Amino acid sequence: MLVKSQASAVDRRPSIDLYDLIGEMFPINRSLTGAGVRNTLGIVARHIDLDIHEVETGTAVLDWHVPKEWNIRRATIKTLDGKCLVDFAENNLHVLGYSNPVNGVFSRAELARHVHTLPDQPDLIPYRTGYYADDWGFCLPHRLWLGMNDEHYRVEIDSDLSQGSMTYGEFLVPGETRREVLITCHVCHPSLANDNLSGMAIMTALAMRQSERRGRLGYRFLFLPATIGAITWLARNEAMLDRIEHGLVLTCLGDSGPFHYKQSRKGATIDRAAAHILKHCGEPYEIMSFNPYGYDERQFCSPGFDLPVGCLMRGVHGTFPEYHTSADNMDFVKPETLVRSYSTLEALLDLLDRDCRYQRVDGRGEPQLGRRGLYRAIAGQSEAGGATQMDLLWFLNLADGQHSLLDMAIRADVPFARLEAAARLALDAGLVRLVAAA
Amino acid sequence: MLVKSQASAVDRRPSIDLYDLIGEMFPINRSLTGAGVRNTLGIVARHIDLDIHEVETGTAVLDWHVPKEWNIRRATIKTLDGKCLVDFAENNLHVLGYSNPVNGVFSRAELARHVHTLPDQPDLIPYRTGYYADDWGFCLPHRLWLGMNDEHYRVEIDSDLSQGSMTYGEFLVPGETRREVLITCHVCHPSLANDNLSGMAIMTALAMRQSERRGRLGYRFLFLPATIGAITWLARNEAMLDRIEHGLVLTCLGDSGPFHYKQSRKGATIDRAAAHILKHCGEPYEIMSFNPYGYDERQFCSPGFDLPVGCLMRGVHGTFPEYHTSADNMDFVKPETLVRSYSTLEALLDLLDRDCRYQRVDGRGEPQLGRRGLYRAIAGQSEAGGATQMDLLWFLNLADGQHSLLDMAIRADVPFARLEAAARLALDAGLVRLVAAA
Amino acid sequence: MLVKSQASAVDRRPSIDLYDLIGEMFPINRSLTGAGVRNTLGIVARHIDLDIHEVETGTAVLDWHVPKEWNIRRATIKTLDGKCLVDFAENNLHVLGYSNPVNGVFSRAELARHVHTLPDQPDLIPYRTGYYADDWGFCLPHRLWLGMNDEHYRVEIDSDLSQGSMTYGEFLVPGETRREVLITCHVCHPSLANDNLSGMAIMTALAMRQSERRGRLGYRFLFLPATIGAITWLARNEAMLDRIEHGLVLTCLGDSGPFHYKQSRKGATIDRAAAHILKHCGEPYEIMSFNPYGYDERQFCSPGFDLPVGCLMRGVHGTFPEYHTSADNMDFVKPETLVRSYSTLEALLDLLDRDCRYQRVDGRGEPQLGRRGLYRAIAGQSEAGGATQMDLLWFLNLADGQHSLLDMAIRADVPFARLEAAARLALDAGLVRLVAAA
């Protein structure tokens, strides 16, 4: 159920142009492995000091093995008289991901077994993969395929599947403590703008921002091929997983739909924090229960790990018509929604970092605000330092060492930032002391 | 509030004709004690190896004593010139249960003090008892009574109340463990088809079915005179009550109304299981909170015992117009609703028996389903062995040794049987091991 | 959200005329300190044996100090030719509370800085205070002020702010145990009938009633200047606060609006008890969550104390047009609503005192009610001793030593008094024994 949020978001802006960054990465062909991911992470690495990890084909990771590396140079379907009908160079969605190489003349009937189309969306190219299918294939508009009535076609895919490595990127902004926020996105989709270049661009901007400040928490950003990337990272980092206090998977954040936040499997502070931020972000949103399908939250929330990881998106996989088609292009993502997604995430990261508990030093009863210059009329709800009188009263009432600022903000039903402002007023007046992080 | 359930019930059928069995028992006069109960249990005993217990009149059972045995041979009201107006032989509801014998001529005014009618339902005979009233009485259609304007009538009840015994039936199907499911019905109502011949017939069929299979749990079926029968059984079996893991009282299961499940006093797995089965049974249903009135769940859920016993019914006592009248007859119960009640209970018993917890042997992350032939497209929700891909993902995600199959089915909101099918797939693939019964 | 309650209140009446008592106290000028409070408490003390406490100006109490004592004899605004336009003798709201003395001729512009009006309610005098403002001021109808167009006016306030004391009243009715109910109201408002002479009158009547009976709990009644009075009492009584088992702040109980009960900060039995009483009081009502603004529940529920104190009111501060104006007068409060507020509070106090737990002596199963004369038809819901058969069944079912009468009444959804009546029947029949107070 969509919920109307209560207030407008603060106006925070990324230090790079998100839409331009997506545009730069859009033409590259990406898959689980290969040059496309490497080139994409190279673009990201121009903005942040990204660690590039290469994991050799065949490496055992939990129940899986790292697959062969796939690279492709060119792919076409031509008429026998040489007219090119389908060309990978025009749109990399045309080739089934992980296609074997092929070169020859095929009858239309033979070719049909390797052609994928969308009869209900006849002008769109579908996005399909066959990672473990040992097959080859083409994806094309249904209308084009209907018009291809020759008896034979010349088909070429110049690709190779070979011993190599899988590439992923990792960037850690250390915090004052060893506790961390994990933020991940998938990087294995070819020319799809929303799914998931939007996530990659926003994560890059968030990483840039966090690298310019030192927070209480560390921030670990992972750019992962879906599933196998997450599994690989988990397998290689089991010893440090207890550091992860909150986690977020980012995807599909550039379309014009409402926010969707999918809760973690076990229920965690990230779920309460995300719901609170969305309630006050000024856009409609929906909270979804955890389910074991979707993005890499499936891996992070699997029973052996069960990490506190949720997923933030706008459009939900499989539910919007552009999903996994050539319509998920540069027209489908909007500069302004990208920025609003970014600013909402900034607010969420700030909340996680700044959430803490305070205790009153004077102990009992209400303090006398008047002689400290903190007493103002409630009726007018006049502000001081971003907090109303009522915010200050809520803060002082709940500053018992048990309630975190997030607890207070949820109970008072006002934005976190206002409770934080109240805390500053009280701290400056010597009324409270910091007890601990939340 | 009535709830629409989500799916259609599986088609399970009893091995006897429930409607015929009710028809066979219908003419017999039953009460707390006497030949009627004995004859009825004799019919049941032709289908299952029933233990018949006789408990002597006067036996102390908890706060009660077993009452005298009541038997009746004939009862009539005649005009002084010998015309028979009311005859017990025509309908055993005509006599107040536990009537003393009487034989004589009474004025209409004297007779009136012993006549029970339903002015609002003038063509129906009410069902009334006077177990501890030391009285006699007749029940007749109000319209008939209004037409009886003679000054005197000849009245005869040939009954006796004497030292004897109370009869109840018990049948145990042992399980692999000492834990049991208790299933009970009341057997003390005369010619009322829904209340409770429907319960007796369905319980007989369930007992037949369970006796043909060996389950994890034992199944104990009790055919009890209401209240005093339950109290007697409890008093005689206190030492084994810890074996009872789930319990159900069955009544009024043949009418055409929606299901009603009344929860146990303390809240128990049976309540979650029954609600889950009803949600997916294909019929409307309602969940009712416990209250201390109704059937023998009153005794099983009394404070000293507080057993996990609910009650399944269609029509709720006191709320349908046929209740406790001659309209609760063979026309009121329907063969097809009896079968649907039976099949719903089969599904519930199967769930209770098969509910268990699994743990992933591979431990962490999602297993690679593809190389085990378990990976299929989610979109189509194609099934394998009765489970969709999503069911299997739910199962593998929650197979942490903590969640029972019922827990999983409720969280995934799909029928238990589909999670069970997913468990079989995973077990066959060596992905999980059985941890324990739920 | 307003809730319609389920039944009509019992008809209990105070032993004094609440409206007359309010009328007697109405003309007195009250403030945080001074003769007005003393005179008012003198009137209360004619009805109950009130302890009058005087706390010296300057005494440190928690984070505060007791303020100077304020007394005022006369205040006027006159034209230069001697015509009196505003006279404190006519309405004590005319003077800003804690006004410094002043005597002189002021220009209209100078005077304007000391005049408070309500432009939206031009015929009403606002109620304003300047306790710590070191100022003087007049409150007058906006329409009057608009008509005052002379260039100068002669102003006099004959008041003094001096070393003295703050006065509050306390009255304890001891109970059989050391556990207490705290009941408080504020006494510092001048001629405002609802806020809070209604609370003072009703509290006086409740104190009279409790002093005539000895209950399980003690009842401590506090007549306090708002905020500083509560803080002073808390500071002086910290060692005994563990005795307070329930607490209530009473205010605004004479208007014709629905009841509002504001819950305690921590959630307590008083909240469940008040909600139960209101549900069955026969009037509409609303339950409000705690917030740290309002009356002295702010102090009692502050983090260092966190006592189980709620607040009962009809009109809610700041939400009715008469609030803190001269329209909160003797016409605004109604004799009959005062009595209904009183009787609802009587029922609540009785519930708190009588709530207890019982245990069945016979232990298990339903007792045989018939041989004890306690069995009656459920259908008719005939009563015996104030309890229906169903009430008795609920009581006997839940008399397990764990459920209090309040727990039972809430679960059965019937008035507490009926469960209490059922308990008496069962106690008389020897079926239960008293285990403990709730």
Side-chain angles (χ1 to χ4, degrees), chain A residues 62-65 132 227 231 234-235 238 264-266 290-293 295 298-299 301-306, chain B residues 360 362-369 371-372 375 378-379 390 393-400 403 411 431:
Chain A
L62 303 181
D63 189 54
W64 302 62
H65 291 84
Y132 302 93
T227 305
I231 282 171
L234 283 165
E238 282 198 69
S264 70
R265 175 186 188 269
K266 65 178 181 182
F290 176 78
N291 71 58
Y293 192 61
Y295 297 96
R298 291 163 66 170
Q299 308 309 325
C301 296
S302 58
F305 300 116
D306 206 11
Chain B
R360 291 264 302 279
D362 55 321
R364 312 173 312 286
E366 275 183 32
Q368 191 180 11
L369 299 178
R371 65 177 158 89
R372 295 176 174 93
Y375 186 75
I378 290 281
M390 193 68 178
L393 291 178
W394 269 117
F395 173 78
L396 291 169
N397 186 271
L398 296 176
D400 57 4
H403 291 80
R411 184 155 180 183
L431 289 170

XYZ file of all heavy atoms in Angstrom, chain A residues 62-65 132 227 231 234-235 238 264-266 290-293 295 298-299 301-306, chain B residues 360 362-369 371-372 375 378-379 390 393-400 403 411 431:
452
model
N 31.418 -20.909 -1.328
C 30.241 -21.551 -0.706
C 29.800 -22.711 -1.595
O 30.596 -23.583 -1.929
C 29.122 -20.523 -0.478
C 29.486 -19.294 0.387
C 28.278 -18.377 0.558
C 30.028 -19.712 1.752
N 28.536 -22.714 -1.990
C 28.012 -23.831 -2.786
C 28.300 -23.657 -4.283
O 27.871 -24.475 -5.091
C 26.497 -23.903 -2.548
C 25.871 -25.154 -3.143
O 26.357 -26.259 -2.817
O 24.913 -25.025 -3.934
N 28.985 -22.606 -4.660
C 29.128 -22.248 -6.067
C 30.592 -22.290 -6.511
O 31.505 -22.450 -5.718
C 28.576 -20.818 -6.305
C 27.148 -20.621 -5.913
C 26.605 -20.750 -4.673
C 26.085 -20.257 -6.788
N 25.259 -20.488 -4.707
C 24.903 -20.174 -5.999
C 25.988 -19.975 -8.150
C 23.667 -19.829 -6.536
C 24.757 -19.621 -8.693
C 23.603 -19.564 -7.881
N 30.799 -22.098 -7.829
C 32.136 -21.870 -8.374
C 32.081 -20.636 -9.254
O 31.077 -20.394 -9.937
C 32.595 -23.063 -9.224
C 32.866 -24.277 -8.396
N 31.864 -25.148 -8.013
C 34.013 -24.738 -7.834
C 32.391 -26.113 -7.271
N 33.687 -25.896 -7.142
N 24.457 -20.427 -17.336
C 24.925 -21.807 -17.179
C 24.248 -22.713 -18.206
O 24.145 -23.909 -18.032
C 24.643 -22.286 -15.746
C 25.309 -21.416 -14.712
C 24.636 -20.325 -14.125
C 26.637 -21.651 -14.334
C 25.264 -19.510 -13.196
C 27.272 -20.839 -13.404
C 26.581 -19.773 -12.835
O 27.213 -18.984 -11.926
N 24.308 -12.185 -7.444
C 24.327 -13.532 -6.885
C 25.751 -14.032 -6.692
O 26.241 -14.082 -5.569
C 23.516 -14.524 -7.755
O 22.199 -13.980 -7.899
C 23.399 -15.881 -7.074
N 27.855 -13.876 -3.290
C 28.282 -15.123 -2.656
C 29.802 -15.157 -2.522
O 30.348 -15.562 -1.488
C 27.714 -16.312 -3.453
C 26.240 -16.467 -3.071
C 28.505 -17.587 -3.208
C 25.458 -17.434 -3.910
N 30.810 -12.767 0.281
C 30.468 -13.352 1.588
C 31.474 -14.455 1.940
O 31.959 -14.526 3.079
C 29.043 -13.915 1.554
C 27.916 -12.870 1.651
C 26.576 -13.479 1.233
C 27.809 -12.291 3.065
N 31.789 -15.312 0.973
C 32.707 -16.422 1.240
C 34.087 -15.909 1.646
O 34.742 -16.492 2.511
C 32.824 -17.303 -0.004
N 33.837 -13.838 5.560
C 33.027 -14.338 6.674
C 33.503 -13.858 8.038
O 32.709 -13.622 8.939
C 32.999 -15.865 6.648
C 32.037 -16.400 5.609
C 31.683 -17.854 5.859
O 30.991 -18.125 6.844
O 32.114 -18.699 5.061
N 14.495 -6.231 5.825
C 15.416 -7.347 6.024
C 14.646 -8.571 6.507
O 13.514 -8.470 6.973
C 16.475 -6.965 7.052
O 15.891 -6.860 8.337
N 15.272 -9.715 6.379
C 14.630 -10.975 6.795
C 14.341 -10.979 8.285
O 13.274 -11.397 8.728
C 15.568 -12.139 6.452
C 15.116 -13.524 6.918
C 16.236 -14.513 6.621
N 15.889 -15.888 6.848
C 16.071 -16.548 7.990
N 16.553 -15.925 9.031
N 15.750 -17.831 8.086
N 15.282 -10.496 9.083
C 15.139 -10.680 10.522
C 14.506 -9.493 11.237
O 14.174 -9.598 12.410
C 16.491 -11.015 11.148
C 17.541 -9.929 11.080
C 18.788 -10.457 11.808
C 19.916 -9.464 11.853
N 21.087 -10.047 12.527
N 10.021 -8.741 3.677
C 11.075 -9.533 3.065
C 10.479 -10.705 2.300
O 9.497 -11.308 2.722
C 12.021 -10.073 4.138
C 13.073 -10.988 3.570
C 14.177 -10.464 2.923
C 12.950 -12.373 3.659
C 15.139 -11.303 2.370
C 13.913 -13.213 3.110
C 15.010 -12.680 2.462
N 11.062 -11.022 1.178
C 10.814 -12.313 0.534
C 12.126 -12.744 -0.111
O 13.021 -11.906 -0.337
C 9.667 -12.233 -0.481
C 10.037 -11.466 -1.706
O 10.986 -11.800 -2.409
N 9.301 -10.398 -1.967
N 12.273 -14.028 -0.376
C 13.599 -14.525 -0.758
C 13.874 -14.418 -2.246
O 14.665 -15.175 -2.781
C 13.563 -15.984 -0.299
C 12.128 -16.355 -0.444
C 11.311 -15.113 -0.161
N 13.214 -13.521 -2.965
C 13.486 -13.275 -4.368
C 13.858 -11.807 -4.486
O 13.546 -11.007 -3.607
C 12.236 -13.603 -5.194
C 12.494 -13.670 -6.684
C 13.380 -14.598 -7.217
C 11.843 -12.806 -7.557
C 13.618 -14.663 -8.580
C 12.073 -12.860 -8.928
C 12.972 -13.796 -9.438
O 13.199 -13.855 -10.777
N 17.050 -9.086 -5.237
C 18.446 -8.774 -5.501
C 19.330 -9.456 -4.457
O 18.922 -10.454 -3.848
C 18.620 -7.245 -5.554
C 17.816 -6.667 -6.706
C 16.537 -6.142 -6.501
C 18.299 -6.718 -8.009
C 15.788 -5.666 -7.569
C 17.548 -6.242 -9.077
C 16.301 -5.720 -8.849
O 15.554 -5.260 -9.902
N 18.843 -11.364 -1.010
C 18.620 -12.816 -0.922
C 19.822 -13.527 -0.325
O 19.677 -14.480 0.439
C 18.404 -13.399 -2.322
C 17.139 -13.017 -2.976
C 17.171 -13.266 -4.464
N 17.247 -14.699 -4.791
C 17.089 -15.160 -6.026
N 16.855 -14.320 -7.031
N 17.162 -16.443 -6.273
N 21.020 -13.107 -0.734
C 22.231 -13.748 -0.221
C 22.560 -13.243 1.181
O 22.827 -14.029 2.083
C 23.410 -13.474 -1.168
C 23.125 -13.818 -2.627
C 22.567 -15.220 -2.825
O 22.930 -16.161 -2.106
N 21.656 -15.372 -3.775
N 20.687 -12.045 3.370
C 19.676 -12.472 4.341
C 19.448 -13.992 4.300
O 18.430 -14.470 4.775
C 18.352 -11.748 4.091
S 18.439 -9.973 4.345
N 20.358 -14.739 3.739
C 20.173 -16.196 3.736
C 20.467 -16.732 5.140
O 21.129 -16.070 5.944
C 21.072 -16.835 2.686
O 22.420 -16.503 2.938
N 19.931 -17.907 5.450
C 19.889 -18.329 6.857
C 21.245 -18.360 7.560
O 21.337 -18.023 8.730
C 19.252 -19.722 6.797
C 19.246 -20.120 5.369
C 19.278 -18.876 4.571
N 22.306 -18.754 6.856
C 23.584 -18.821 7.563
C 24.160 -17.463 7.914
O 24.927 -17.330 8.849
N 23.771 -16.432 7.181
C 24.299 -15.087 7.440
C 23.261 -14.216 8.155
O 23.528 -13.629 9.174
C 24.723 -14.427 6.118
C 25.799 -15.189 5.383
C 25.554 -15.742 4.132
C 27.049 -15.364 5.954
C 26.542 -16.444 3.465
C 28.047 -16.064 5.281
C 27.786 -16.609 4.033
N 22.101 -14.105 7.562
C 20.985 -13.378 8.174
C 21.398 -11.975 8.622
O 21.146 -11.567 9.750
C 20.445 -14.189 9.361
C 18.976 -13.877 9.638
O 18.323 -13.206 8.810
O 18.480 -14.291 10.704
N 19.594 -26.224 6.715
C 20.422 -26.314 5.520
C 21.737 -27.006 5.865
O 22.377 -26.649 6.863
C 20.697 -24.911 4.987
C 19.475 -24.207 4.417
C 19.414 -24.384 2.916
N 20.633 -23.871 2.322
C 20.861 -22.576 2.073
N 19.931 -21.682 2.295
N 22.005 -22.201 1.560
N 24.308 -27.056 3.680
C 25.337 -26.236 3.062
C 25.504 -24.918 3.791
O 26.444 -24.186 3.571
C 24.981 -25.961 1.604
C 23.594 -25.350 1.497
O 22.703 -25.786 2.249
O 23.406 -24.433 0.688
N 24.575 -24.642 4.628
C 24.788 -23.561 5.567
C 24.406 -22.181 5.134
O 23.455 -21.629 5.632
N 25.122 -21.596 4.166
C 25.051 -20.156 4.031
C 24.851 -19.761 2.583
O 25.348 -20.418 1.674
C 26.354 -19.558 4.562
C 26.708 -20.142 5.920
C 28.057 -19.738 6.444
N 29.172 -19.849 5.515
C 29.751 -20.983 5.125
N 29.304 -22.141 5.563
N 30.766 -20.972 4.300
N 24.181 -18.633 2.359
C 23.918 -18.186 0.982
C 22.873 -19.082 0.335
O 22.403 -20.049 0.925
N 22.494 -18.708 -0.865
C 21.603 -19.589 -1.617
C 22.407 -20.713 -2.243
O 23.485 -20.464 -2.781
C 20.932 -18.806 -2.755
C 19.689 -18.061 -2.350
C 19.034 -17.365 -3.536
O 19.106 -17.878 -4.663
O 18.471 -16.285 -3.318
N 21.917 -21.927 -2.213
C 22.613 -22.980 -2.944
C 22.441 -22.774 -4.450
O 21.497 -22.101 -4.888
C 21.909 -24.253 -2.484
C 20.570 -23.817 -2.025
C 20.692 -22.402 -1.552
N 23.339 -23.355 -5.217
C 23.218 -23.226 -6.664
C 22.197 -24.247 -7.157
O 22.487 -25.450 -7.262
C 24.568 -23.442 -7.337
C 24.516 -23.035 -8.809
C 25.834 -23.240 -9.523
O 26.741 -23.874 -9.003
N 25.935 -22.693 -10.725
N 21.009 -23.771 -7.436
C 19.924 -24.685 -7.799
C 20.106 -25.244 -9.201
O 19.706 -26.372 -9.491
C 18.581 -23.961 -7.685
C 18.270 -23.455 -6.270
C 16.941 -22.713 -6.266
C 18.222 -24.607 -5.280
N 22.640 -26.394 -11.023
C 23.357 -27.650 -11.273
C 22.665 -28.848 -10.638
O 23.049 -29.981 -10.870
C 24.803 -27.538 -10.822
C 25.023 -27.342 -9.338
C 26.555 -27.328 -9.054
N 26.870 -26.671 -7.810
C 26.929 -27.290 -6.619
N 26.672 -28.578 -6.522
N 27.234 -26.592 -5.523
N 21.653 -28.594 -9.846
C 20.855 -29.681 -9.269
C 19.513 -29.843 -9.997
O 18.645 -30.579 -9.557
C 20.581 -29.407 -7.795
C 21.826 -29.398 -6.939
C 21.532 -29.036 -5.506
N 22.723 -29.159 -4.663
C 23.563 -28.171 -4.402
N 23.362 -26.978 -4.932
N 24.603 -28.380 -3.621
N 16.476 -25.163 -10.818
C 16.294 -23.760 -11.151
C 15.312 -23.601 -12.296
O 15.488 -24.144 -13.369
C 17.633 -23.132 -11.534
C 17.530 -21.656 -11.754
C 17.415 -20.782 -10.666
C 17.480 -21.130 -13.029
C 17.287 -19.431 -10.862
C 17.353 -19.775 -13.231
C 17.253 -18.922 -12.141
O 17.117 -17.585 -12.340
N 10.975 -17.980 -12.308
C 9.999 -17.614 -11.290
C 8.721 -17.131 -11.954
O 7.620 -17.468 -11.550
C 10.540 -16.479 -10.406
C 11.659 -16.984 -9.523
C 9.438 -15.871 -9.560
C 11.243 -17.743 -8.320
N 8.903 -16.344 -13.006
C 7.759 -15.650 -13.589
C 6.606 -16.611 -13.852
O 5.471 -16.383 -13.464
C 8.181 -14.960 -14.879
N 9.425 -20.262 -6.221
C 9.355 -19.338 -5.089
C 9.165 -20.104 -3.781
O 9.742 -19.742 -2.754
C 8.204 -18.353 -5.328
C 8.209 -17.166 -4.407
S 9.627 -16.055 -4.719
C 9.283 -14.766 -3.510
N 12.514 -21.310 -2.805
C 13.353 -20.234 -2.257
C 12.936 -19.895 -0.834
O 13.776 -19.684 0.040
C 13.273 -18.994 -3.156
C 13.932 -19.131 -4.533
C 13.739 -17.848 -5.340
C 15.430 -19.453 -4.393
N 11.639 -19.826 -0.580
C 11.163 -19.586 0.787
C 11.679 -20.684 1.720
O 12.188 -20.410 2.808
C 9.627 -19.559 0.841
C 9.026 -18.212 0.650
C 8.203 -17.810 -0.367
C 9.153 -17.063 1.514
N 7.831 -16.505 -0.196
C 8.388 -16.018 0.945
C 9.840 -16.805 2.701
C 8.288 -14.755 1.530
C 9.746 -15.542 3.281
C 8.987 -14.542 2.695
N 11.506 -21.920 1.272
C 11.926 -23.035 2.125
C 13.414 -22.939 2.444
O 13.828 -23.037 3.603
C 11.588 -24.373 1.456
C 12.141 -25.525 2.224
C 11.500 -25.974 3.374
C 13.331 -26.132 1.847
C 12.031 -27.016 4.123
C 13.869 -27.173 2.589
C 13.220 -27.613 3.725
N 14.219 -22.744 1.419
C 15.672 -22.719 1.638
C 16.074 -21.514 2.487
O 16.998 -21.589 3.288
C 16.402 -22.689 0.291
C 16.274 -23.994 -0.520
C 16.796 -23.794 -1.929
C 17.012 -25.141 0.179
N 15.345 -20.415 2.334
C 15.669 -19.223 3.126
C 15.322 -19.416 4.598
O 15.990 -18.891 5.485
C 14.943 -18.000 2.567
C 15.355 -16.713 3.265
O 14.761 -16.334 4.254
N 16.412 -16.081 2.785
N 14.269 -20.156 4.881
C 13.815 -20.300 6.274
C 14.226 -21.631 6.904
O 13.887 -21.902 8.053
C 12.296 -20.112 6.342
C 11.808 -18.696 5.951
C 10.284 -18.635 5.946
C 12.369 -17.638 6.898
N 14.945 -22.461 6.148
C 15.395 -23.746 6.700
C 16.618 -23.526 7.571
O 17.725 -23.904 7.228
C 15.686 -24.731 5.566
N 16.376 -22.888 8.697
C 17.461 -22.529 9.608
C 17.352 -23.282 10.929
O 17.995 -22.941 11.902
C 17.457 -21.015 9.851
C 16.125 -20.531 10.389
O 15.230 -21.359 10.650
O 15.962 -19.303 10.532
N 12.530 -22.314 12.027
C 11.189 -22.171 11.455
C 10.618 -23.546 11.128
O 11.268 -24.346 10.455
C 11.249 -21.341 10.166
C 11.589 -19.903 10.378
N 12.870 -19.453 10.566
C 10.799 -18.796 10.425
C 12.864 -18.133 10.725
N 11.617 -17.708 10.648
N 4.407 -17.445 6.709
C 5.179 -16.273 6.269
C 5.120 -16.117 4.752
O 4.978 -14.995 4.244
C 6.630 -16.385 6.749
C 7.457 -15.159 6.406
C 8.626 -14.964 7.341
N 9.384 -13.774 6.973
C 10.502 -13.366 7.559
N 10.991 -14.044 8.572
N 11.128 -12.275 7.180
N 20.151 -30.881 0.243
C 20.404 -29.498 0.669
C 20.046 -29.251 2.128
O 20.512 -28.283 2.718
C 19.602 -28.531 -0.218
C 20.107 -28.388 -1.647
C 19.111 -27.617 -2.498
C 21.466 -27.675 -1.653
